[in-house]
């Protein structure tokens, strides 16, 4: 509704003035209502803004705490990973050492198995080869017992019996030479 206010006020009839007055009243009510709605909307917006700020602060605190926990977990994980790496390295070292020992024992067993069929060459045994007196005989005997004792890994009861038999024979022969 387009109204010329100045013309209606100067030349308008009472009816036109009443219409203008009524329109102004409605317009005033509409503006006051719109103004109150705007104020309520602003208050609601400010309330929501404050609520949003407090929620953001809480979330930031929680996020900060989670980040710290994540960093601690990462540090713990790195330490555990280093422990595992060191453990695997040590296991590898131990495995290699055991493989060397196993190969050494297998070689010793092979030597023993080869010599177990023919333990003596003439008068001198394979176990006591190069022994030419009673002192070296006793020393070699002790060394062989340490190596081939049945309680050891490379030990064998049959070999110990052969060593003992040869030792006794050589001991007797050295005793008879000593007496003669």
């Amino acid at each position: 509704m387009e109204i010329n206010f100045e013309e209606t006020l100067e030349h308008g009839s009472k009816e036109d003035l009443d219409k203008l007055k009524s329109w102004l009243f409605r317009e005033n009510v509409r503006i006051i209502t719109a103004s109150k709605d705007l104020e309520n909307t602003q208050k609601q917006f400010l309330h929501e803004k404050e609520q949003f700020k407090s929620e953001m602060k809480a979330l930031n605190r929680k996020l900060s705490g989670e980040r710290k926990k994540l960093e601690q977990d990462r540090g713990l994980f790195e330490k555990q990973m280093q422990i595992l790496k060191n453990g695997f390295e040590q296991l590898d070292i131990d495995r290699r050492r055991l493989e060397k020992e196993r190969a050494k024992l297998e070689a010793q067993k092979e030597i023993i198995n080869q010599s177990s069929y023919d333990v003596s060459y003439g008068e001198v045994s394979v176990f006591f080869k190069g022994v030419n007196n009673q002192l070296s005989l006793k020393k070699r005997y002790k060394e062989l017992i340490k190596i081939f004792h049945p309680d050891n890994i490379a030990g064998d009861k049959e070999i110990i019996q052969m060593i003992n038999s040869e030792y006794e024979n050589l001991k007797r022969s050295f005793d008879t030479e000593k007496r003669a």
Side-chain angles (χ1 to χ4, degrees), residues 38-104:
L38 182 61
E39 283 179 30
N40 287 338
T41 303
Q42 284 177 336
K43 285 179 184 178
Q44 185 178 3
F45 175 74
L46 289 175
H47 175 70
E48 288 174 359
K49 182 179 174 183
E50 290 301 317
Q51 187 177 5
F52 178 73
K53 282 182 182 179
S54 65
E55 287 174 3
M56 284 301 293
K57 284 180 184 178
L59 287 174
N60 282 335
R61 282 192 303 269
K62 187 176 179 181
L63 180 63
S64 177
E66 291 296 322
R67 282 184 180 155
K68 286 179 184 177
K69 186 176 184 244
L70 182 62
E71 286 300 316
Q72 289 172 346
D73 289 348
R74 184 176 289 134
L76 181 62
F77 174 77
E78 291 297 324
K79 287 178 184 176
Q80 290 172 340
M81 185 58 93
Q82 189 60 43
I83 289 170
L84 283 174
K85 285 179 182 178
N86 292 343
F88 280 123
E89 289 172 2
Q90 186 61 43
L91 282 173
D92 190 49
I93 291 168
D94 291 345
R95 180 187 55 80
R96 289 179 186 165
R97 183 181 48 82
L98 286 173
E99 285 175 356
K100 286 180 183 178
E101 287 179 19
R102 181 178 287 131
K104 186 178 177 182

Side-chain angles (χ1 to χ4, degrees), residues 87-168:
F88 280 123
E89 289 172 2
Q90 186 61 43
L91 282 173
D92 190 49
I93 291 168
D94 291 345
R95 180 187 55 80
R96 289 179 186 165
R97 183 181 48 82
L98 286 173
E99 285 175 356
K100 286 180 183 178
E101 287 179 19
R102 181 178 287 131
K104 186 178 177 182
L105 288 174
E106 289 296 324
Q108 287 176 350
K109 267 189 171 180
E110 186 63 32
I111 290 170
I112 291 168
N113 287 339
Q114 288 174 358
S115 65
S116 66
Y117 295 109
D118 186 20
V119 289
S120 64
Y121 297 103
E123 292 183 19
V124 180
S125 133
V126 170
F127 295 117
F128 297 98
K129 190 174 185 180
V131 172
N132 53 12
N133 63 39
Q134 201 165 4
L135 186 62
S136 61
L137 174 68
K138 194 172 187 179
K139 184 177 178 183
R140 175 75 56 86
Y141 176 73
K142 286 182 181 182
E143 290 172 354
L144 290 170
I145 293 298
K146 284 180 187 177
I147 295 171
F148 296 109
H149 193 277
D151 290 343
N152 290 340
I153 293 174
D156 188 359
K157 187 176 179 181
E158 292 176 18
I159 293 175
I160 285 292
Q161 288 173 350
M162 289 189 294
I163 291 171
N164 285 334
S165 172
E166 290 295 321
Y167 174 71
E168 290 299 323

